[in-house]
Amino acid sequence: MKAKRRVVPGAPKPQRTPTIRRVRPAIRPVGSKPVVPSSPGAPPSSAASASSSSSPAPSSPAPSSPVVDAIGGRPVSLEVDLGRGLVLANPVIAASGPFGYGVEVAELVDLARLGGLVTRGTTLKPRAGNAGPRTAEVAAGLLVGVGLQNPGIDAVLERYAPAWARWRVPVIVNLCGESSGDLVDIVRRLEGVPGVAGVELNLSCTNARGGGVAFGLDAEASRSLVSAVRRATDLPLIAKVTAAAADVRAVARACEEAGADAISAINTLPGLALAADRTGPALGSVYGGICGPALKPVALRVVFEVAQAVDVPVIGIGGVATIDDVLDLLAVGAAAVGVGVAAFADPMLPVRLADELADACRARGVGDVADLVGTAQPKRLSPPSTRGAEYAR
Ligand SMILES: Cc1cc2nc3c(=O)[nH]c(=O)nc-3n(C[C@H](O)[C@H](O)[C@H](O)COP(=O)(O)O)c2cc1C
């Protein structure tokens, strides 16, 4: 079990001992008090006494009760500790993108019943995004080329942080920048802002100094970015890796050593679709990111590998649309699971999956969702996928 840490600004960086190991998820036992930081440095408060969200109805269940006892079933602990005081009431998160900044769906979705909400990607300066078309349907997924359209960090905080501070769901701000300087500037602005529960660094962003190659393709570029951000903030820090890396284990390990509290895996994968007349690409951005069911086997592979390589919790993302997808990602070692593009078609899906997860635990006689984490992990380290799929042994 992972020791619970509080956000203490200025506190020395926790010492880490990087080792390859079995999955050890960070889940607290049944009956322990949840802590949801309303703001970094603020005294953590029991979510039961936290101010209510603007979105959920007053009758909403206390989201971070450690015990979910719906439909008269057995009590089940769904809590997940992502480190540095960021404790989720349940493992189901809205992944970055489809729910925007949360306010877009707050009337529709009882956000307080999510484990967490990750905002859309935010940069230092406003970005207009890519020319259209921005999406193309492909077999088993969607190709997306939005181009990080966002109003910039200052406008985001001014417009949305007051709402986040009223909500009971932990809001994690997804960040993108072309240099560590950009990202350090952004996280300094986030420090101490009520409603910001943590940050997620999108390592698929272009590294301007690294020849325009995405940070996450290279372990050392990822290490230096995460280190710089870690030095600049005491907020819980999640590094989002990409399956496009040749050796994603090395990238994840570098992020952990540099101070990431958790790893999320994976982002979309670069792909191409053609216009109907085959005269060129379908998307204005030429390439897009593939998301949806096509991504799931890749996400399973990456979570399986990363969970063997790091001690920090892993958030599994990619192709989640059903409770079986959630259970599969937990089984390969994810402590929490992100729902991406499927929430576009069905915004209620993430909340429903959280409910279904409690039911799935009960149906299996499991009192703590942690018991479902890593069940598909091998007893000994498996060969890395860098050896290839067909000739690995
Ligand atoms: C429209 C859209 C926008 C996204 N924007 C971001 C983003 O800004 N930052 C990021 O890290 N991931 C972003 N993602 C990636 C998702 O968070 C997720 O990693 C990916 O879509 C795989 O999950 P899925 O198959 O469930 O969609 C976006 C995805 C979609 C569909």
Side-chain angles (χ1 to χ4, degrees), residues 6-7 47 72 97 104 184 214 222 244 250 256 264-265 308 310 317 331-332 334 338 344 351 359-360 374 390:
R6 290 179 49 171
V7 179
E104 298 88 332
V184 164
S222 301
E256 179 187 45
S264 51
Q308 292 176 45
V310 299
I317 312 169
V332 291
F344 260 149
V351 167
D359 295 342
E390 297 286 345

Side-chain angles (χ1 to χ4, degrees), residues 95-98 120-121 144 146 148 174 200 202 240 266-268 291-292 295 317-320 338-341 344:
S96 175
R120 71 189 302 173
V144 179
V146 175
L148 285 165
N174 181 279
E200 181 181 66
N202 178 357
K240 187 170 184 179
I266 54 179
N267 211 317
T268 57
C291 50
L295 217 51
I317 312 169
V320 173
V339 185
V341 71
F344 260 149

Side-chain angles (χ1 to χ4, degrees), residues 17-24 247-257 263 301-314 332-333 377-378 381-382 384:
T17 319
T19 47
I20 298 192
R21 47 142 224 128
R22 251 196 82 247
V23 174
R24 183 162 47 75
D247 185 356
V248 70
R249 298 164 315 147
V251 174
R253 227 178 278 135
C255 293
E256 179 187 45
E257 288 165 8
I263 306 293
R301 186 266 293 174
V302 172
V303 172
F304 182 81
E305 289 193 274
V306 167
Q308 292 176 45
V310 299
D311 274 323
V312 292
V314 180
V332 291
Q377 279 285 345
L381 289 183
S382 53

